[in-house]
Amino acid sequence: DWGASSAVPIASYRYRLLAPTRRHIHRQAKERVFTVTTRTVGEQTETVVQRRHSALVDIDMGAPPSTYLDDAVQWSEFDGWADVAVWGSRLFDKAIQSSEAVKSELARLTAGTTSDVQRVEKVLDFVQSDIRYFGTEIGVNSHLPADAQTVIKQRYGDCKDKVALLVSLLRAAGMTATPVLVSTAYREDVGALLPSPLAFDHVIAQLTLGGQTYWLDGTRGRQAGAGLKWRNAEGMGKVLLADATQTALTAMPSNAEVLRMEGHDTLRFKRPSEPPLLQASLTYHGDMAEGMRNLLDSQSLESLQKNQFAFYPRLYPHIEQQGPMQVQDDVLHNAVTLTVNYRVPDFLRFPQQRALVGDYALSAVMEALRLNSQAPRTRPLYLWSSGTYRHDVDVQFDEELYASPSSSRFDERNNFFDVHIEYSSTTKSMHIGGELQQNVNVIEPKDWSNYKDALTKLWPRLGNVLTVPAVSREASEPVRREAAALLEDFKRGKGATKTEAQLQARLQVMALEAALRTDRLPPKLRAEALVAMGGSLNLVRQFDQARQRFDQALALDPKVAGAHIGLAFTAMGRNDFVQAQQEATQALIEDPHDATNRLVKAQALYYRGMYADARTELVEMLKNKTERERSYGALWLYMTAQRLGEDGKTAVQPYLPEGRRPAWPYPVLQHILGQGTQAQAEQGAAEDDKPSASRLCELYFFMGQQALLKGQQSNARENFDKSVRTGVTEFQEYGFSQHELSLLTR
């Protein structure tokens, strides 16, 4: 009886048992939860169990039922499991007695068989499939099995009726078989209950054959398999054989090593520049296969596929299904395989334009380990998915992409699970294979943190990226030589490359040109590569080539990110401020929250003399607190306000940085506002106590602008010249300073 409720709190719970004193009744009630008093009244014993103020029980569906036994009062007249075993034996003895009907049915079933295994299979098939599951569980039928002869005649029965028939047929065949009492709810924890038949809610059979022990369930009507190893019932925890010689519970074998599910993904590339074809298969074994057969009978293929393969559209958002899901029922091995074929556009990505990468995931392993909640637990977590899970990913190419075969592996072993992942590749293929074995069925609250930590450590291994070289081996060799020569010249101070940024830009142009020649990039990624190349060409002031790359990118993909702002920078470098404004405006339409887009538009408006419009853009940009801290917008706003005949200091006052240590270029802003000297600004331009050419390039440009605003053309010319002489061609301020010098010489 339960002294708590999941519906309402209980203020007072009282249970009174009055029984003859001669009756030996065991009781189990947790101390400090219940108060128990006992007294003798004549020839009767009165036992009163009380509990005060029991809170509402919050049922955790992930916790094992034994979690709640502290709230229960148990009573039993059985002195131990031996008594329950005797009870079970007596219960089944009569029902499993052989008869002419049993012998006749056995002869019919086993006609033509040549081995005991075949005979067992025929008998089990008959009990599972030909005897309909139906229970009349009222009165004595709640526990008393119908005899085998009756079950044969009526052709229906519940679990205990089916087991009586199964054991009767097996014994009639000269085999050793015994009914087994099982708790599908308490499983490993059934020993936490007082010995009683009510601890169990299911019956299966134990068969000993050829020195092997098998556990057979007559109710699994969708079970299949040629061979008894496919017909075993596993993972039922502790059970009790209904045999008068038994004195204790028996532990069934763990199902940790029982294969329950496999995933297999095969990605086939005709060429890396084309979307691959993906064949995704999920194979269910044992009881999971039987559950899948039931789902196939009750759901449409479309609905079932949507549920079972939901992981793939999440991993690949643009995936396209190619034809209906295929179903293969392997009745010889009790397995069901579902297969779906896909086409996967945008499978490959080109992050930082270094190498092509594509996502993969060992989903069958991930789903078995996935937690519904990361919140700390106060109750144990029951792992209903315990067993072994596998997932393989095979990637196949029609051309040789990799230099040589390779292999490696990852192993994670802990108290909770074992995971093994193997990686291997040939010149034309790649294989990732993962296997999970659950070592425990229950995670205790004290182990919850360690379990989560183990999953956190493992998770990146279960979903990762595979890499495809963007450049062929033949094309990469000349690039390596050219890059090495460029790097050597840079170290020696030779050539046109003056800064690290310029060096990296030139190296990226070389690499991307090789990638485009190799033709492994899909159109979308080709457009991204062209945009990246255009950006690098802008940095080394090769504006005509940059414009060509941006135009080519837009022809491939009109929505490619970065092309219009790249064209705006190109136009700015060529002093075409009208086009710069147009391209920056288009970039803002595509991404109105990008501060760079807005600043470039404001700069183009400034150089067109459209100061009021420039101020509007700058104020909009400076509404973003991050941009206020960066100070660039404030510097341009100051200059714009001054051009409009306003007070620049007043204009920027609402947009000054608020942080304790404003970053560069705040020292420039302070100097422009008259709050610091030029020497202090130059000192603030240092990085790691060393002069920074890039910061000095910016500083001298803004100082030149300040001089222009004051009408000091000679001073302005001197500062603009200093900015250009830094050689930081990749900065806008370098180009602006060149432009100002050309205006001053007219």
Side-chain angles (χ1 to χ4, degrees):
D1 195 74
W2 295 91
S5 169
S6 62
V8 291
I10 298 176
S12 177
Y13 164 90
R14 184 174 185 271
Y15 190 106
R16 176 176 179 263
L17 178 67
L18 190 65
T21 303
R22 67 179 184 278
R23 301 278 286 272
H24 187 199
I25 301 174
H26 300 276
R27 179 189 69 249
Q28 186 167 294
K30 186 174 178 63
E31 295 182 10
R32 296 186 298 277
V33 174
F34 296 97
T35 300
V36 182
T37 59
T38 303
R39 65 171 184 157
T40 301
V41 183
E43 294 183 355
Q44 293 187 319
T45 299
E46 179 191 65
T47 304
V48 177
V49 181
Q50 297 184 80
R51 184 180 185 182
R52 298 286 186 181
H53 306 298
S54 60
L56 176 71
V57 176
D58 181 18
I59 299 296
D60 181 350
M61 299 306 294
S66 58
T67 299
Y68 302 96
L69 286 178
D70 287 353
D71 295 311
V73 181
Q74 301 180 50
W75 312 86
S76 176
E77 284 190 272
F78 289 81
D79 289 332
W81 294 113
D83 287 351
V84 182
V86 170
W87 171 89
S89 176
R90 290 174 178 169
L91 201 67
F92 278 93
D93 277 349
K94 181 179 179 181
I96 61 180
Q97 291 298 317
S98 185
S99 65
E100 288 303 318
V102 169
K103 294 176 182 178
S104 174
E105 193 64 43
L106 177 65
R108 184 184 70 82
L109 292 171
T110 59
T113 59
T114 58
S115 68
D116 282 343
V117 170
Q118 289 182 353
R119 283 186 275 277
V120 174
E121 289 175 350
K122 291 291 186 180
V123 167
L124 186 58
D125 286 340
F126 170 70
V127 174
Q128 288 179 335
S129 302
D130 288 10
I131 304 299
R132 182 165 56 94
Y133 185 90
F134 181 77
T136 53
E137 297 168 357
I138 56 175
V140 294
N141 296 114
S142 67
H143 57 279
L144 182 65
D147 62 76
Q149 180 173 314
T150 299
V151 178
I152 290 173
K153 180 180 179 181
Q154 66 190 22
R155 283 297 201 272
Y156 68 80
D158 59 13
C159 62
K160 58 185 180 295
D161 303 327
K162 282 174 168 268
V163 162
L165 174 59
L166 177 60
V167 171
S168 180
L169 288 167
L170 293 175
R171 288 186 180 180
M175 302 178 195
T176 302
T178 307
V180 181
L181 306 181
V182 172
S183 173
T184 60
Y186 289 96
R187 301 194 179 217
E188 293 86 357
D189 297 328
V190 69
L193 300 172
L194 283 181
S196 163
L198 298 181
F200 306 101
D201 59 1
H202 189 47
V203 189
I204 62 175
Q206 183 197 69
L207 169 68
T208 302
L209 182 65
Q212 297 290 321
T213 299
Y214 301 97
W215 308 86
L216 309 178
D217 190 336
T219 66
R220 289 169 64 169
R222 305 312 300 267
Q223 195 178 54
L228 294 183
K229 70 174 183 177
W230 308 110
R231 312 295 290 267
N232 241 348
E234 302 101 357
M236 303 303 292
K238 294 180 179 179
V239 299
L240 182 66
L241 274 65
D243 179 343
T245 66
Q246 297 294 306
T247 60
L249 297 172
T250 297
M252 283 181 63
S254 166
N255 61 351
E257 298 183 7
V258 175
L259 181 59
R260 304 196 71 197
M261 184 178 176
E262 292 178 285
H264 194 171
D265 299 338
T266 301
L267 283 154
R268 293 184 176 88
F269 284 86
K270 185 175 182 180
R271 292 186 302 183
S273 59
E274 297 180 6
L277 298 178
L278 166 64
Q279 184 177 84
S281 296
L282 297 175
T283 300
Y284 305 87
H285 297 269
D287 59 345
M288 293 186 74
E290 296 156 35
M292 188 53 59
R293 292 185 183 107
N294 286 327
L295 290 176
L296 285 165
D297 283 349
S298 61
Q299 294 185 17
S300 67
L301 287 182
E302 292 79 6
S303 175
L304 187 61
Q305 182 241 312
K306 183 177 180 180
N307 292 329
Q308 301 303 312
F309 288 84
F311 180 86
Y312 290 88
R314 293 199 301 268
L315 183 62
Y316 308 120
H318 301 107
I319 199 168
E320 300 169 356
Q321 186 171 338
Q322 308 287 293
M325 180 177 71
Q326 303 298 313
V327 180
Q328 180 182 359
D329 194 342
D330 183 356
V331 295
L332 294 179
H333 303 97
N334 198 24
V336 174
T337 299
L338 308 180
T339 301
V340 182
N341 292 303
Y342 298 101
R343 182 175 178 269
V344 193
D346 301 332
F347 175 81
L348 291 175
R349 294 177 282 111
F350 200 26
Q352 300 179 337
Q353 287 72 50
R354 296 182 181 274
L356 295 166
V357 299
D359 297 313
Y360 73 85
L362 307 178
S363 62
V365 176
M366 294 176 76
E367 292 297 326
L369 287 171
R370 190 179 299 277
L371 299 176
N372 292 331
S373 171
Q374 298 288 330
R377 295 189 66 85
T378 58
R379 295 190 175 99
L381 173 69
Y382 194 88
L383 302 177
W384 296 97
S385 61
S386 60
T388 295
Y389 297 79
R390 297 175 185 151
H391 199 116
D392 294 335
V393 177
D394 284 300
V395 188
Q396 301 170 358
F397 301 95
D398 283 356
E399 59 181 297
E400 293 188 347
L401 298 182
Y402 304 105
S404 59
S406 64
S407 63
S408 62
R409 63 179 291 125
F410 167 82
D411 297 289
E412 171 64 21
R413 293 182 174 89
N414 53 54
N415 294 330
F416 312 111
F417 52 75
D418 291 352
V419 170
H420 310 283
I421 304 176
E422 295 182 348
Y423 309 89
S424 62
S425 67
T426 69
T427 57
K428 298 175 66 174
S429 67
M430 186 180 302
H431 173 79
I432 304 103
E435 179 176 285
L436 160 72
Q437 180 176 304
Q438 299 270 25
N439 295 327
V440 295
N441 290 326
V442 175
I443 306 297
E444 298 293 342
K446 65 181 178 61
D447 296 325
W448 180 245
S449 178
N450 291 335
Y451 182 65
K452 285 204 306 177
D453 289 346
L455 286 184
T456 300
K457 175 184 176 182
L458 173 66
W459 209 254
R461 294 280 185 169
L462 302 180
N464 211 317
V465 296
L466 54 91
T467 302
V468 177
V471 181
S472 66
R473 283 177 289 167
E474 296 77 8
S476 64
E477 287 305 319
V479 174
R480 289 194 183 98
R481 291 193 296 269
E482 187 179 359
L486 178 64
L487 184 58
E488 186 63 26
D489 287 346
F490 177 72
K491 290 178 179 178
R492 294 181 178 183
K494 297 170 59 179
T497 307
K498 302 300 181 185
T499 68
E500 183 70 29
Q502 293 168 25
L503 174 66
Q504 295 302 322
R506 293 182 187 278
L507 290 173
Q508 185 177 47
V509 169
M510 292 179 192
L512 290 176
E513 283 179 339
L516 291 168
R517 286 195 300 270
T518 300
D519 195 27
R520 290 180 179 173
L521 301 176
K524 183 177 179 180
L525 299 187
R526 194 175 182 86
E528 291 178 9
L530 287 165
V531 168
M533 186 185 294
S536 293
L537 290 166
N538 272 341
L539 293 180
V540 293
R541 305 191 70 74
Q542 296 181 18
F543 298 119
D544 289 339
Q545 293 185 43
R547 180 170 57 182
Q548 291 177 8
R549 300 300 184 271
F550 290 126
D551 289 341
Q552 291 169 358
L554 287 168
L556 285 171
D557 183 1
K559 296 182 179 181
V560 62
H564 287 291
I565 195 60
L567 282 168
F569 279 113
T570 300
M572 201 84 79
R574 293 171 24 252
N575 300 327
D576 186 347
F577 301 114
V578 173
Q579 186 183 3
Q581 177 194 340
Q582 293 171 349
E583 296 294 348
T585 299
Q586 183 61 39
L588 272 172
I589 292 172
E590 295 175 357
D591 189 354
H593 303 294
D594 190 294
T596 299
N597 297 345
R598 199 167 295 280
L599 178 59
V600 172
K601 182 178 180 181
Q603 291 168 338
L605 290 166
Y606 179 90
Y607 274 106
R608 292 189 65 192
M610 303 170 67
Y611 302 119
D613 292 337
R615 179 177 58 183
T616 299
E617 298 296 335
L618 291 167
V619 169
E620 182 65 27
M621 184 183 78
L622 287 167
K623 291 178 181 179
N624 185 310
K625 184 177 180 180
T626 301
E627 292 308 313
R628 290 202 299 271
E629 296 300 319
R630 282 164 44 87
S631 299
Y632 287 103
L635 282 165
W636 283 91
L637 180 60
Y638 173 88
M639 292 155 45
T640 302
Q642 290 288 110
R643 292 285 186 181
L644 288 168
E646 301 172 356
D647 181 23
K649 294 181 181 180
T650 303
V652 302
Q653 193 62 40
Y655 307 109
L656 294 177
E658 299 174 355
R660 292 183 179 180
R661 293 184 177 181
W664 178 265
Y666 184 64
V668 182
L669 182 60
Q670 284 183 303
H671 175 57
I672 296 295
L673 296 177
Q675 299 172 2
T677 65
Q678 178 175 335
Q680 289 173 324
E682 290 176 340
Q683 184 179 2
E687 288 186 284
D688 299 325
D689 298 325
K690 296 179 182 179
S692 169
S694 59
R695 289 185 175 184
L696 288 173
C697 177
E698 295 176 324
L699 170 63
Y700 292 135
F701 165 73
F702 286 114
M703 288 177 61
Q705 286 290 331
Q706 174 77 334
L708 280 181
L709 293 170
K710 293 180 178 180
Q712 301 170 355
Q713 291 194 354
S714 177
N715 187 13
R717 185 181 294 108
E718 180 182 351
N719 279 294
F720 290 137
D721 185 60
K722 286 182 178 179
S723 178
V724 171
R725 280 192 280 115
T726 62
V728 186
T729 62
E730 63 269 26
F731 272 38
Q732 286 282 82
E733 288 77 10
Y734 177 95
F736 292 152
S737 293
Q738 279 190 326
H739 178 62
E740 295 289 1
L741 286 171
S742 69
L743 294 176
L744 288 169
T745 58
R746 292 178 184 176

